[in-house]
Amino acid sequence: MKVLKFGGTSVGSSKNINKVIAILETYSKDEDVICIVSAVGGITDKLLFAGQQAQNKDAGYIETFKTVEAIHTDIINALNETPTKSLIDHISITLKDLRSLLDGIFLINELSPKTSDKLVGFGEKLSSLIIAETLINRGLSAARKNTQELIITNSNFTKAEVDYSISNQLIREYFKSSDKSITILPGFIAKSRNGEDTTLGRGGSDFTAAIIAAALHADTLEIWTDVSGMYTTNPKLVKQAYPIKNISYQEAMELSHFGAKVLYPPTVQPVLDLNIPIHIKNTMEPEADGTIISNSPSNGSKPVKGISNINDIALLTLQGSGMIGIPGFSKRLFETLSQEKINVILITQASSEHSICLGIETNEADRAKTAIDQTFEYEITCHKIEPLTVEKDLSIVALVGDNMKNHQGLSGKMFSALGRNNVNIRAIAQGASEKNISVVIAEKDVKKALNTLHEQFFEIKTKQLNVFITGVGNVGERLVEQIKAQKKYLKDNLKINIRVAGLSNSRTMTFNEDGIDLKDWKSVLAAGEKASLNVFFETVKSMNLRNSIFVDITANADVASLYEDYLRESIGVVACNKIACSSDLDHYNLLKRLSLKYNAPFLFETNVGAGLPVIDTLNNLIASGDKVTSIQAVLSGSLNFVFNNFNKDTKFYDVVKQAAAEGYTEPDPRIDLSGVDVARKILILARESGVEMNLEDIENKTFLSESGLQSDTVEDFYQTLIKDEAHYQKLYASAASKGSQLKYVAKFNKGKASVGLEEIPQGHPFYNLEGKDNIVMFYTTRYPEQPMIIKGAGAGADVTASGLFADIIRIGNN
Ligand code: ADP
Ligand code: ASP
Ligand code: MG
C-alpha cells in the first residue's frame, strides 16, 4: 500500500487536480492508495486573512469569503460536467459553516488560536471533498475519510502534538474495514481529545501523510509537490540548484528544520524508525526522478548535501562581565524562553562566557526581550549584565551534510566565500555532530549568500560574473559583442559564466538580474529608464549579486568619483577611464586600499596601451620580485597617428582633424596634443612600478605653439593649428634633416618622469612605429640591457574592448 500526499499547488487548479487524478488512477491499478491532500494553493492564507479582517471589524472579510467560495466553485465546475448531488450538498453546507464562523468572529471581534484552527481547517475539508467526489463521479472506487476522526492530538492549537497510541489504533481500524482502492483524506487537520478542531502547524499535511504511512507500515510515503524533489538549495532563489537524488533522514530533517519548505520538519519522525522511504515527486513532471529520503548512508557522496535558509530571524545577545559569576545563568535564560513558549533556533556562546547569542523568530523577539530583561532585572540594575540587545531583519543560512565531519576546512571555505562577497556574518553555530554549519547574516544578503555558497560547494567549476557596464558607446558596443560571442567558450573552457546584468549610456540604463538578453541588447537599452550615475550605483548595490563588476568606459570624472562607493560594496571596478588612476596620489592609494580591504578587484589595463598587456605585465614583474629601473614608451596612438602622417606635403590642421574624425583623439584634441593624456599614462606606470608621484611631478615639454596653449575652446585651438602651420613644419623639418622621425615619448627614470616630442634616429626601436601603434620598453633588474618590449595597436575600439574583456576574465580566473 502506498501513501501519497499532494500539496497546495498540486491541487491548486482543475488542471492540476486532473494530473493528480491521473496519477491516482495509474497507481490504484496495482495497489490500494491513500491520498492526503492540502488545501487548494493559497486558500489557507486567504482564510487566515478573512479571519483577521473579521476580527478587526473589517467587513471586507465577506469579499474574501466570496473569493474563497468562487475559487472552489470554479474548480468543481471545471472538473465535473454534472457535479454529484452529494458534492453540491457537502460543499454548500461546508461553505455555510465557514461563513457562519467568520460572521461569529466579526461579531465578537476575536480570533483565538482555537478558532483560528477551526477556520483554517476548512481549506483541507473543501479540497478533499471536491477530489473524492470527483473521483467517485468518474467511476473510480474511492472514498473520503475525515482525518479528524483518525488523528487525535493535545490542545496545543495551531501546532498540536499527536497522540500516537490512540491515532495509530484509529487509523489501523479504519483501513482494516475499508475496501476502496483510493481513500482521500484532508491533511493538516486533527481533533483534540476533547473534540476540538486542531491543526498540525503550517505545512502540516506532509506530517499527516507521514503519520498515516507509519501507522499502516506503508511501503513508501510519496510527497507530491511543485518541484522535482529536495534541491541542493531553494530553487526559487538559486537558478543552478538541482534535485538531490538520495538523502538520509537526518540530512533531510536538518535541511527542512533550517528552512527547506519542501518538507515539513516533523514529517520524517514517524517514518524514520520504520525505515519507510519518503519519495518527493513533482506533480507537474511525474517522470522526473525526484528525491528519495531513506536510511541509506551518504558515505562517499559530497560533504555538503544541501544549503537552506530561514528568514525573519532575530538575534538576541545577552552580555556582561558579571555573567561568569551568576549561578544557574543559562538555566534561567532558557527557562524564561521556555515559559514564553519561544523556540530557540540557534545558540552560540563565546568561551569567555561573557556573552550568549540566540536566534529566534522575529515575531517573538519583543516578548523575549521583555521576559529576559525581567528575569535578570536585578543583575541589570547592578550592571553585571547589560539589557538584552535585539537585532532584527536577519536570516540563518545552513550547510548540511552527514559527511561534513570527514572533511576539513569546510567552514573556512564557507566564511571566506561569504567574506569575498561582502556578506557580513553576525553569528556562527556548528553542531557537535558536524552535520550542520549555520551562520546568521542580514536578510538582504540571503540570495547572494545562497548563490555564492552554491557556487562554492556545488558548481565549484563555474564562476558567475555579474557585469554592469556604463558608457556604452563605441568601445562598449564592441565589448558587449565580444562578450556575446565568447560566452559559450568561456563557460566551456574557463568555467566562467558572464552575465551582463546592467547597461547604461548617457541617455538610458537597464538592468536584469538574470542577464540582459544580448541578442537584442540595443533595443532593451534604448527602452530602459533615464540614465543616472547615482541610481545606477544604487541599483547595482541593491541587486546585491555575487562577483559584481562595474565597468567604466566613460571619460567622466563624476563616474570615476563613484569607484570608492562601488569598492566599499565589494563590487569590482574595471576602468577604461584614466581619471581615477591619474588623480591625486591619496585618492589613488585610497582606491588601492579599498580594493584590498573589500576584496574587490580594481583593474585598469586599458588605461595604458588600450588592449596591450602593459599593466598586467608590469604587475607580474613586480610581484615576482623584479624592479623597474626605467621605462621608455610611445603611449599615444593619436599622437603617433598625427606625426606618422604629418610631413612637408600635409597640413598639421588636416592631420589632426583626420585623427579626430577617425576617433583616435579624445573629443577635445588638446588632451592628446598637450601631452596630458600621455603624462597620465606614464604616471600610472610609475605608480604601478611602486613610485609615489603626482601629475604635477611629470615634466611636460610641450610642442604646441604659444597661441595653441592659450586657446580657450576647441574651435579656437583648431584655428591656431592653421595659423601656426609654420611652427609645426619647423619641427618636422628639423627631424627630417637628421633622417629622424618625430615621436611623442614618455620616460621614467630614477624616480623622475617626463613627456615630450623627440627626434628618433634610424635604428631606434621607436623609429619604425606605425599607425596608431604603442610601444613600451621596461628596463628592470632582470632586463638591464635588452628591455622587455610590448608593442602593438594602442588605440581603437576593438582592442580597447578586448583589454576590458581581459580584465573581466582576470577577475573570473582569480
Ligand atoms: P506544497 O504546497 O506542495 O506542500 P511547498 O510550497 O510547501 O509545497 O514546498 C515546495 C516549495 O519549497 C518549492 O516550491 C520551493 O519554493 C520551496 N523550497 C525551499 N527550499 C527547497 C529545497 N531545498 N528544495 C526544494 N524546494 C524548496
Ligand atoms: N494548507 C496548510 C498550509 O498551507 C497545510 C499544508 O498545505 O500542508 O499550511
Ligand atoms: Mg508544504
Side-chain angles (χ1 to χ4, degrees):
M1 172 211 306
K2 276 203 166 75
V3 175
L4 278 67
K5 176 259 169 176
F6 291 89
T9 317
S10 304
V11 299
S13 63
S14 57
K15 191 171 145 219
N16 288 350
I17 294 177
N18 275 323
K19 289 183 185 154
V20 172
I21 293 177
I23 294 166
L24 293 175
E25 236 182 310
T26 315
Y27 272 54
S28 63
K29 282 185 189 136
D30 300 328
E31 58 189 320
D32 289 349
V33 292
I34 298 171
C35 168
I36 288 88
V37 293
S38 286
V40 169
I43 290 296
T44 311
D45 287 336
K46 286 202 169 63
L47 291 172
L48 277 174
F49 179 61
Q52 272 143 16
Q53 285 178 306
Q55 178 192 26
N56 297 334
K57 283 278 173 206
D58 172 358
Y61 79 91
I62 297 171
E63 263 320 297
T64 313
F65 166 79
K66 285 185 179 154
T67 315
V68 169
E69 183 179 46
I71 290 172
H72 290 96
T73 321
D74 288 352
I75 291 179
I76 292 170
N77 293 332
L79 287 172
N80 298 276
E81 219 163 276
T82 353
T84 58
K85 179 166 180 318
S86 159
L87 176 56
I88 295 171
D89 290 349
H90 271 110
I91 292 287
S92 85
I93 293 169
T94 313
L95 286 170
K96 222 155 123 201
D97 288 349
L98 169 60
R99 176 62 198 266
S100 310
L101 180 63
L102 286 168
D103 291 343
I105 298 169
F106 182 76
L107 211 63
I108 59 171
N109 61 40
E110 189 188 287
L111 180 62
S112 65
K114 181 170 156 179
T115 313
S116 173
D117 267 2
K118 198 177 182 63
L119 175 65
V120 288
F122 278 94
E124 269 71 7
K125 285 183 185 164
L126 290 164
S127 65
S128 57
L129 273 170
I130 295 173
I131 294 167
E133 289 290 340
T134 304
L135 287 169
I136 296 166
N137 202 9
R138 292 186 187 181
L140 290 154
S141 159
R144 171 182 182 271
K145 176 73 181 167
N146 186 351
T147 328
Q148 291 177 306
E149 292 160 24
L150 303 180
I151 298 182
I152 306 301
T153 65
N154 66 7
S155 299
N156 193 1
F157 297 106
T158 73
K159 207 173 184 177
E161 283 139 40
V162 178
D163 182 330
Y164 283 98
S165 63
I166 306 178
S167 307
N168 284 345
Q169 202 183 340
L170 291 170
I171 296 165
R172 284 173 198 146
E173 268 165 21
Y174 173 74
F175 283 99
K176 215 185 283 167
S177 62
S178 157
D179 60 353
K180 298 289 192 241
S181 311
I182 306 172
T183 311
I184 304 290
L185 301 156
F188 185 45
I189 53 175
K191 267 221 178 353
S192 74
R193 293 179 197 102
N194 310 329
E196 305 136 326
D197 285 11
T198 58
T199 64
L200 303 179
R202 290 304 307 269
S205 297
D206 298 347
F207 191 25
T208 307
I211 296 164
I212 308 264
L216 299 173
H217 292 218
D219 303 330
T220 50
L221 164 60
E222 297 190 357
I223 305 277
W224 289 77
T225 182
D226 59 352
V227 287
S228 298
M230 189 167 234
Y231 278 59
T232 45
T233 189
N234 188 343
K236 301 256 158 75
L237 297 179
V238 179
K239 285 226 160 50
Q240 282 80 4
Y242 54 85
I244 305 167
K245 275 201 161 37
N246 286 288
I247 187 166
S248 72
Y249 289 122
Q250 278 73 20
E251 288 169 325
M253 235 181 325
E254 202 75 19
L255 280 173
S256 68
H257 268 291
F258 280 84
K261 190 186 165 216
V262 64
L263 193 68
Y264 181 55
T267 307
V268 176
Q269 208 59 53
V271 297
L272 172 82
D273 293 336
L274 298 168
N275 241 327
I276 301 170
I278 304 175
H279 197 168
I280 300 185
K281 297 276 290 172
N282 188 348
T283 308
M284 323 307 147
E285 217 186 312
E287 58 293 346
D289 288 342
T291 298
I292 295 179
I293 306 172
S294 70
N295 236 342
S296 68
S298 66
N299 285 346
S301 70
K302 275 181 181 296
V304 180
K305 229 20 191 312
I307 309 168
S308 55
N309 69 292
I310 320 179
N311 293 347
D312 286 324
I313 293 292
L315 198 63
L316 313 181
T317 308
L318 196 60
Q319 56 189 350
S321 54
M323 261 169 60
I324 314 170
I326 300 173
F329 165 80
S330 303
K331 182 167 170 273
R332 286 163 66 202
L333 175 61
F334 288 106
E335 258 170 17
T336 307
L337 291 166
S338 156
Q339 272 157 15
E340 292 289 321
K341 290 205 162 66
I342 292 171
N343 181 30
V344 178
I345 305 168
L346 170 141
I347 308 168
T348 71
Q349 181 169 27
S351 57
S352 70
E353 291 185 34
H354 277 178
S355 77
I356 185 161
C357 264
L358 306 173
I360 65 168
E361 281 178 30
T362 300
N363 60 18
E364 299 183 317
D366 295 339
R367 218 151 37 84
K369 171 150 174 75
T370 313
I372 294 173
D373 282 351
Q374 208 163 34
T375 299
F376 294 102
E377 195 179 2
Y378 171 72
E379 286 84 356
I380 293 170
T381 335
C382 312
H383 300 291
K384 283 187 171 174
I385 289 183
E386 292 162 28
L388 185 81
T389 57
V390 179
E391 286 170 84
K392 294 183 181 172
D393 301 321
L394 299 173
S395 293
I396 296 177
V397 169
L399 295 188
V400 170
D402 286 343
N403 226 355
M404 293 202 321
K405 58 179 176 299
N406 301 323
H407 287 76
Q408 274 148 15
L410 290 175
S411 40
K413 269 192 194 159
M414 179 187 200
F415 305 152
S416 59
L418 293 175
R420 272 199 304 278
N421 279 282
N422 205 21
V423 175
N424 188 22
I425 300 174
R426 293 287 308 107
I428 299 164
Q430 178 169 14
S433 65
E434 291 188 48
K435 284 186 198 315
N436 174 325
I437 309 173
S438 307
V439 293
V440 180
I441 62 172
E443 193 165 324
K444 70 171 176 45
D445 287 334
V446 162
K447 192 170 177 189
K448 182 161 80 170
L450 289 179
N451 278 281
T452 303
L453 295 173
H454 197 265
E455 189 171 86
Q456 173 78 39
F457 292 104
F458 293 95
E459 322 152 30
I460 306 156
K461 294 190 186 77
T462 47
K463 183 164 182 179
Q464 166 93 47
L465 301 180
N466 295 294
V467 179
F468 298 86
I469 306 173
T470 189
V472 183
N474 210 357
V475 174
E477 191 172 305
R478 305 298 167 89
L479 176 61
V480 175
E481 292 302 330
Q482 288 178 10
I483 292 176
K484 184 167 94 185
Q486 281 305 98
K487 227 172 135 65
K488 187 169 166 0
Y489 176 88
L490 291 176
K491 199 165 178 182
D492 294 346
N493 295 281
L494 297 184
K495 307 292 176 206
I496 296 174
N497 187 16
I498 298 194
R499 252 187 217 161
V500 177
L503 283 174
S504 176
N505 55 26
S506 54
R507 296 173 300 281
T508 52
M509 59 187 188
T510 182
F511 300 92
N512 187 337
E513 220 171 87
D514 301 325
I516 294 163
D517 182 3
L518 296 187
K519 272 192 225 98
D520 198 25
W521 67 271
K522 281 188 189 166
S523 44
V524 176
L525 176 58
E529 57 187 300
K530 191 172 174 303
S532 148
L533 297 181
N534 285 321
V535 177
F536 196 88
F537 166 68
E538 289 300 335
T539 310
V540 178
K541 180 176 150 188
S542 69
M543 282 168 80
N544 203 10
L545 302 175
R546 69 199 185 289
N547 305 322
S548 289
I549 304 171
F550 171 66
V551 182
D552 174 12
I553 322 184
T554 69
N556 185 321
D558 293 335
V559 180
S561 72
L562 287 168
Y563 293 176
E564 50 182 291
D565 296 339
Y566 281 100
L567 294 172
R568 280 198 173 91
E569 296 299 326
S570 289
I571 297 164
V573 174
V574 167
C576 183
N577 186 346
K578 284 186 273 294
I579 293 176
C581 284
S582 55
S583 65
D584 180 63
L585 181 64
D586 288 342
H587 187 238
Y588 165 85
N589 284 337
L590 171 73
L591 295 178
K592 288 264 165 173
R593 271 203 311 279
L594 292 176
S595 162
L596 275 180
K597 179 169 174 193
Y598 292 97
N599 232 316
F602 174 39
L603 298 178
F604 38 87
E605 181 60 86
T606 48
N607 278 196
V608 180
L612 296 178
V614 179
I615 295 176
D616 190 49
T617 307
L618 177 56
N619 291 157
N620 288 337
L621 287 175
I622 305 280
S624 65
D626 205 351
K627 281 202 170 57
V628 175
T629 45
S630 87
I631 302 171
Q632 287 179 35
V634 175
L635 293 173
S636 169
S638 30
L639 287 175
N640 224 20
F641 178 90
V642 168
F643 288 106
N644 279 344
N645 289 290
F646 177 54
N647 54 45
K648 60 180 187 332
D649 303 322
T650 56
K651 293 249 169 1
F652 198 64
Y653 169 84
D654 292 338
V655 176
V656 174
K657 269 285 182 191
Q658 192 193 343
E662 298 198 9
Y664 296 149
T665 66
E666 302 277 336
D668 180 347
R670 289 173 297 179
I671 296 179
D672 295 297
L673 292 162
S674 67
V676 168
D677 190 56
V678 177
R680 282 178 180 161
K681 290 175 180 169
I682 192 73
L683 172 69
I684 294 169
L685 291 185
R687 283 177 172 176
E688 292 294 301
S689 304
V691 175
E692 304 232 304
M693 186 178 263
N694 270 314
L695 200 59
E696 307 84 78
D697 303 327
I698 294 170
E699 188 188 355
N700 187 344
K701 299 175 254 180
T702 184
F703 65 86
L704 291 178
S705 64
E706 195 54 40
S707 54
L709 284 172
Q710 307 293 333
S711 61
D712 290 330
T713 64
V714 174
E715 212 17 68
D716 282 353
F717 176 69
Y718 274 122
Q719 290 311 312
T720 70
L721 299 188
I722 297 173
K723 188 167 74 58
D724 296 335
E725 176 69 16
H727 166 82
Y728 297 106
Q729 281 297 345
K730 220 162 94 192
L731 297 174
Y732 173 78
S734 162
S737 70
K738 297 171 197 140
S740 297
Q741 291 269 12
L742 285 174
K743 299 287 168 199
Y744 198 82
V745 178
K747 285 181 179 162
F748 165 74
N749 193 13
K750 297 201 182 98
K752 289 210 162 66
S754 65
V755 294
L757 196 63
E758 292 192 13
E759 296 175 353
I760 303 294
Q762 226 162 0
H764 189 282
F766 293 174
Y767 184 86
N768 284 321
L769 207 60
E770 290 178 20
K772 49 193 190 300
D773 280 3
N774 278 196
I775 184 167
V776 185
M777 305 200 297
F778 288 117
Y779 290 90
T780 71
T781 319
R782 290 184 197 144
Y783 295 89
E785 269 124 41
Q786 288 303 318
M788 175 186 271
I789 299 180
I790 300 164
K791 182 181 162 189
D798 263 322
V799 289
T800 308
S802 72
L804 289 163
F805 200 4
D807 273 347
I808 295 171
I809 295 168
R810 253 172 226 129
I811 296 177
N813 277 332
N814 203 326

